[in-house]
CSV table of all heavy atoms in Angstrom, one decimal:
chain,number,residue,atom,x,y,z
A,678,ILE,N,23.3,-18.3,-4.3
A,678,ILE,CA,22.7,-16.9,-4.5
A,678,ILE,C,22.5,-16.3,-3.2
A,678,ILE,O,21.6,-16.7,-2.4
A,678,ILE,CB,21.4,-17.0,-5.3
A,678,ILE,CG1,21.6,-17.7,-6.7
A,678,ILE,CG2,20.9,-15.5,-5.5
A,678,ILE,CD1,20.3,-17.9,-7.4
A,679,ALA,N,23.2,-15.2,-2.8
A,679,ALA,CA,23.0,-14.4,-1.6
A,679,ALA,C,22.0,-13.3,-2.0
A,679,ALA,O,21.9,-12.8,-3.1
A,679,ALA,CB,24.3,-13.8,-1.1
A,680,VAL,N,21.2,-12.9,-1.0
A,680,VAL,CA,20.2,-11.8,-1.2
A,680,VAL,C,20.4,-10.8,-0.1
A,680,VAL,O,20.4,-11.1,1.1
A,680,VAL,CB,18.8,-12.4,-1.1
A,680,VAL,CG1,17.8,-11.2,-1.3
A,680,VAL,CG2,18.5,-13.4,-2.2
A,681,LYS,N,20.6,-9.5,-0.5
A,681,LYS,CA,20.7,-8.4,0.4
A,681,LYS,C,19.3,-7.7,0.4
A,681,LYS,O,19.0,-7.1,-0.6
A,681,LYS,CB,21.8,-7.4,0.0
A,681,LYS,CG,22.0,-6.3,1.0
A,681,LYS,CD,23.2,-5.4,0.7
A,681,LYS,CE,22.9,-4.5,-0.4
A,681,LYS,NZ,24.0,-3.5,-0.6
A,682,VAL,N,18.6,-7.7,1.5
A,682,VAL,CA,17.4,-7.0,1.6
A,682,VAL,C,17.6,-5.6,2.1
A,682,VAL,O,18.2,-5.4,3.1
A,682,VAL,CB,16.4,-7.8,2.6
A,682,VAL,CG1,15.2,-7.0,2.9
A,682,VAL,CG2,16.1,-9.2,2.1
A,683,SER,N,17.1,-4.6,1.3
A,683,SER,CA,17.2,-3.2,1.7
A,683,SER,C,15.9,-2.7,2.0
A,683,SER,O,15.0,-2.7,1.2
A,683,SER,CB,17.9,-2.4,0.6
A,683,SER,OG,19.3,-2.8,0.5
A,684,TRP,N,15.7,-2.1,3.2
A,684,TRP,CA,14.5,-1.5,3.7
A,684,TRP,C,14.6,0.0,3.5
A,684,TRP,O,15.4,0.6,4.2
A,684,TRP,CB,14.3,-1.9,5.1
A,684,TRP,CG,12.9,-1.9,5.6
A,684,TRP,CD1,12.3,-1.1,6.6
A,684,TRP,CD2,11.9,-2.9,5.3
A,684,TRP,NE1,11.0,-1.5,6.8
A,684,TRP,CE2,10.7,-2.6,6.1
A,684,TRP,CE3,11.8,-4.0,4.4
A,684,TRP,CZ2,9.5,-3.3,6.0
A,684,TRP,CZ3,10.7,-4.7,4.3
A,684,TRP,CH2,9.5,-4.4,5.1
A,685,ILE,N,13.9,0.6,2.6
A,685,ILE,CA,14.1,2.0,2.2
A,685,ILE,C,13.1,2.9,2.8
A,685,ILE,O,12.0,3.0,2.5
A,685,ILE,CB,14.1,2.1,0.7
A,685,ILE,CG1,14.9,1.1,0.0
A,685,ILE,CG2,14.5,3.5,0.2
A,685,ILE,CD1,16.4,1.1,0.3
A,686,PRO,N,13.6,3.7,3.8
A,686,PRO,CA,12.7,4.7,4.5
A,686,PRO,C,12.5,6.0,3.6
A,686,PRO,O,13.3,6.2,2.7
A,686,PRO,CB,13.4,5.0,5.8
A,686,PRO,CG,14.9,4.9,5.4
A,686,PRO,CD,14.9,3.8,4.4
A,687,GLY,N,11.5,6.8,4.0
A,687,GLY,CA,11.4,8.1,3.4
A,687,GLY,C,10.7,8.0,2.0
A,687,GLY,O,9.8,7.1,1.8
A,688,ASP,N,11.1,8.9,1.1
A,688,ASP,CA,10.4,9.0,-0.2
A,688,ASP,C,10.9,7.8,-1.1
A,688,ASP,O,11.9,8.0,-1.9
A,688,ASP,CB,10.7,10.3,-0.8
A,688,ASP,CG,10.0,10.6,-2.1
A,688,ASP,OD1,9.3,9.6,-2.6
A,688,ASP,OD2,10.0,11.7,-2.6
A,689,TYR,N,10.3,6.7,-1.0
A,689,TYR,CA,10.8,5.5,-1.7
A,689,TYR,C,10.7,5.7,-3.2
A,689,TYR,O,11.7,5.3,-3.9
A,689,TYR,CB,9.9,4.3,-1.3
A,689,TYR,CG,10.2,3.0,-2.1
A,689,TYR,CD1,11.4,2.3,-1.8
A,689,TYR,CD2,9.4,2.6,-3.1
A,689,TYR,CE1,11.7,1.1,-2.5
A,689,TYR,CE2,9.6,1.4,-3.8
A,689,TYR,CZ,10.8,0.7,-3.6
A,689,TYR,OH,11.1,-0.4,-4.3
A,690,ALA,N,9.7,6.3,-3.7
A,690,ALA,CA,9.5,6.5,-5.2
A,690,ALA,C,10.7,7.3,-5.8
A,690,ALA,O,11.3,6.9,-6.8
A,690,ALA,CB,8.2,7.2,-5.5
A,691,THR,N,11.1,8.4,-5.1
A,691,THR,CA,12.2,9.2,-5.6
A,691,THR,C,13.5,8.4,-5.6
A,691,THR,O,14.3,8.5,-6.5
A,691,THR,CB,12.3,10.4,-4.7
A,691,THR,OG1,11.1,11.2,-4.9
A,691,THR,CG2,13.5,11.3,-5.2
A,692,LYS,N,13.7,7.6,-4.5
A,692,LYS,CA,14.9,6.8,-4.3
A,692,LYS,C,15.1,5.7,-5.4
A,692,LYS,O,16.1,5.5,-5.9
A,692,LYS,CB,15.0,6.3,-2.9
A,692,LYS,CG,15.2,7.4,-1.9
A,692,LYS,CD,15.2,7.0,-0.5
A,692,LYS,CE,15.4,8.1,0.5
A,692,LYS,NZ,15.2,7.7,1.9
A,693,TRP,N,14.0,4.9,-5.6
A,693,TRP,CA,14.1,3.9,-6.6
A,693,TRP,C,14.3,4.4,-8.0
A,693,TRP,O,15.0,3.9,-8.8
A,693,TRP,CB,13.0,2.8,-6.5
A,693,TRP,CG,11.7,3.2,-7.1
A,693,TRP,CD1,10.5,3.4,-6.4
A,693,TRP,CD2,11.3,3.2,-8.5
A,693,TRP,NE1,9.5,3.7,-7.3
A,693,TRP,CE2,10.0,3.5,-8.6
A,693,TRP,CE3,12.0,3.0,-9.7
A,693,TRP,CZ2,9.3,3.7,-9.8
A,693,TRP,CZ3,11.4,3.2,-10.9
A,693,TRP,CH2,10.0,3.5,-10.9
A,694,THR,N,13.6,5.5,-8.2
A,694,THR,CA,13.7,6.2,-9.6
A,694,THR,C,15.1,6.6,-9.9
A,694,THR,O,15.6,6.4,-11.0
A,694,THR,CB,12.7,7.4,-9.7
A,694,THR,OG1,11.4,6.9,-9.4
A,694,THR,CG2,12.8,8.0,-11.0
A,695,ALA,N,15.8,7.2,-8.9
A,695,ALA,CA,17.1,7.6,-9.1
A,695,ALA,C,18.1,6.4,-9.2
A,695,ALA,O,19.0,6.3,-10.0
A,695,ALA,CB,17.6,8.5,-7.9
A,696,ALA,N,17.8,5.3,-8.3
A,696,ALA,CA,18.7,4.2,-8.3
A,696,ALA,C,18.8,3.4,-9.6
A,696,ALA,O,19.8,2.9,-10.0
A,696,ALA,CB,18.3,3.3,-7.1
A,697,VAL,N,17.6,3.3,-10.3
A,697,VAL,CA,17.6,2.4,-11.5
A,697,VAL,C,18.2,3.2,-12.7
A,697,VAL,O,18.2,2.6,-13.8
A,697,VAL,CB,16.2,1.9,-11.7
A,697,VAL,CG1,15.8,1.0,-10.6
A,697,VAL,CG2,15.2,3.0,-12.0
A,698,LEU,N,18.6,4.4,-12.5
A,698,LEU,CA,19.2,5.1,-13.6
A,698,LEU,C,20.7,4.7,-13.7
A,698,LEU,O,21.3,5.0,-14.7
A,698,LEU,CB,19.2,6.6,-13.4
A,698,LEU,CG,17.8,7.3,-13.4
A,698,LEU,CD1,17.9,8.8,-13.0
A,698,LEU,CD2,17.1,7.1,-14.8
A,699,THR,N,21.2,4.0,-12.7
A,699,THR,CA,22.6,3.6,-12.7
A,699,THR,C,22.8,2.1,-12.9
A,699,THR,O,21.8,1.4,-12.6
A,699,THR,CB,23.3,4.1,-11.4
A,699,THR,OG1,22.9,3.2,-10.4
A,699,THR,CG2,22.9,5.5,-11.0
A,700,PRO,N,23.9,1.6,-13.2
A,700,PRO,CA,24.1,0.2,-13.3
A,700,PRO,C,24.1,-0.5,-12.0
A,700,PRO,O,24.0,-1.7,-11.9
A,700,PRO,CB,25.5,0.0,-14.0
A,700,PRO,CG,25.8,1.4,-14.6
A,700,PRO,CD,25.1,2.4,-13.8
A,701,ASP,N,24.2,0.2,-10.9
A,701,ASP,CA,24.2,-0.3,-9.6
A,701,ASP,C,22.9,-0.3,-8.9
A,701,ASP,O,22.8,-0.5,-7.6
A,701,ASP,CB,25.2,0.4,-8.7
A,701,ASP,CG,26.7,0.3,-9.3
A,701,ASP,OD1,27.0,-0.8,-9.7
A,701,ASP,OD2,27.4,1.3,-9.2
A,702,GLY,N,21.8,-0.2,-9.6
A,702,GLY,CA,20.5,-0.2,-9.0
A,702,GLY,C,20.1,-1.5,-8.5
A,702,GLY,O,20.8,-2.5,-8.8
A,703,PRO,N,19.0,-1.7,-7.7
A,703,PRO,CA,18.6,-3.0,-7.2
A,703,PRO,C,18.3,-4.0,-8.3
A,703,PRO,O,17.8,-3.6,-9.3
A,703,PRO,CB,17.4,-2.6,-6.3
A,703,PRO,CG,16.9,-1.3,-7.0
A,703,PRO,CD,18.1,-0.6,-7.4
A,704,ASP,N,18.5,-5.2,-8.0
A,704,ASP,CA,18.2,-6.3,-9.0
A,704,ASP,C,16.7,-6.5,-9.0
A,704,ASP,O,16.1,-6.7,-10.0
A,704,ASP,CB,18.9,-7.6,-8.6
A,704,ASP,CG,20.4,-7.5,-8.6
A,704,ASP,OD1,20.9,-7.4,-9.8
A,704,ASP,OD2,21.0,-7.4,-7.6
A,705,VAL,N,16.1,-6.4,-7.8
A,705,VAL,CA,14.6,-6.7,-7.6
A,705,VAL,C,14.1,-5.5,-6.8
A,705,VAL,O,14.7,-5.2,-5.8
A,705,VAL,CB,14.4,-8.0,-6.9
A,705,VAL,CG1,12.9,-8.2,-6.7
A,705,VAL,CG2,15.0,-9.2,-7.7
A,706,TYR,N,13.0,-5.0,-7.1
A,706,TYR,CA,12.4,-3.9,-6.3
A,706,TYR,C,10.9,-3.9,-6.5
A,706,TYR,O,10.3,-4.5,-7.4
A,706,TYR,CB,13.0,-2.5,-6.7
A,706,TYR,CG,12.9,-2.0,-8.1
A,706,TYR,CD1,12.0,-1.0,-8.4
A,706,TYR,CD2,13.7,-2.6,-9.1
A,706,TYR,CE1,11.9,-0.5,-9.7
A,706,TYR,CE2,13.6,-2.1,-10.4
A,706,TYR,CZ,12.7,-1.1,-10.7
A,706,TYR,OH,12.6,-0.6,-12.0
A,707,GLU,N,10.2,-3.1,-5.6
A,707,GLU,CA,8.7,-3.1,-5.7
A,707,GLU,C,8.3,-1.7,-6.1
A,707,GLU,O,8.9,-0.7,-5.8
A,707,GLU,CB,8.1,-3.5,-4.4
A,707,GLU,CG,8.5,-2.6,-3.2
A,707,GLU,CD,7.9,-3.0,-1.9
A,707,GLU,OE1,7.2,-4.1,-1.9
A,707,GLU,OE2,8.0,-2.3,-0.9
A,708,VAL,N,7.1,-1.7,-6.9
A,708,VAL,CA,6.6,-0.4,-7.4
A,708,VAL,C,5.0,-0.6,-7.3
A,708,VAL,O,4.5,-1.6,-7.1
A,708,VAL,CB,7.0,-0.1,-8.8
A,708,VAL,CG1,8.5,0.2,-8.8
A,708,VAL,CG2,6.7,-1.3,-9.8
A,709,ASN,N,4.4,0.6,-7.6
A,709,ASN,CA,2.9,0.5,-7.8
A,709,ASN,C,2.5,0.5,-9.3
A,709,ASN,O,1.5,-0.1,-9.7
A,709,ASN,CB,2.3,1.8,-7.2
A,709,ASN,CG,2.5,1.9,-5.7
A,709,ASN,OD1,3.1,2.8,-5.2
A,709,ASN,ND2,2.0,0.9,-4.9
A,710,ASP,N,3.4,1.1,-10.1
A,710,ASP,CA,3.1,1.3,-11.5
A,710,ASP,C,4.3,0.9,-12.4
A,710,ASP,O,5.4,1.0,-11.9
A,710,ASP,CB,2.7,2.7,-11.9
A,710,ASP,CG,1.5,3.2,-11.0
A,710,ASP,OD1,0.4,2.6,-11.1
A,710,ASP,OD2,1.7,4.3,-10.4
A,711,VAL,N,4.0,0.4,-13.6
A,711,VAL,CA,5.1,0.2,-14.6
A,711,VAL,C,4.7,0.9,-15.8
A,711,VAL,O,3.7,0.6,-16.5
A,711,VAL,CB,5.2,-1.3,-14.9
A,711,VAL,CG1,6.2,-1.5,-16.0
A,711,VAL,CG2,5.7,-2.1,-13.6
A,712,SER,N,5.5,1.9,-16.2
A,712,SER,CA,5.1,2.7,-17.4
A,712,SER,C,5.9,2.3,-18.6
A,712,SER,O,7.0,1.6,-18.5
A,712,SER,CB,5.5,4.2,-17.1
A,712,SER,OG,6.9,4.4,-17.0
Side-chain angles (χ1 to χ4, degrees):
I678 305 174
V680 179
K681 185 175 75 173
V682 173
S683 292
W684 207 247
I685 310 298
D688 187 351
Y689 175 75
T691 297
K692 291 173 180 177
W693 77 251
T694 301
V697 297
L698 295 176
T699 74
D701 297 321
D704 299 287
V705 178
Y706 61 106
E707 59 178 8
V708 293
N709 299 118
D710 305 303
V711 174
S712 70

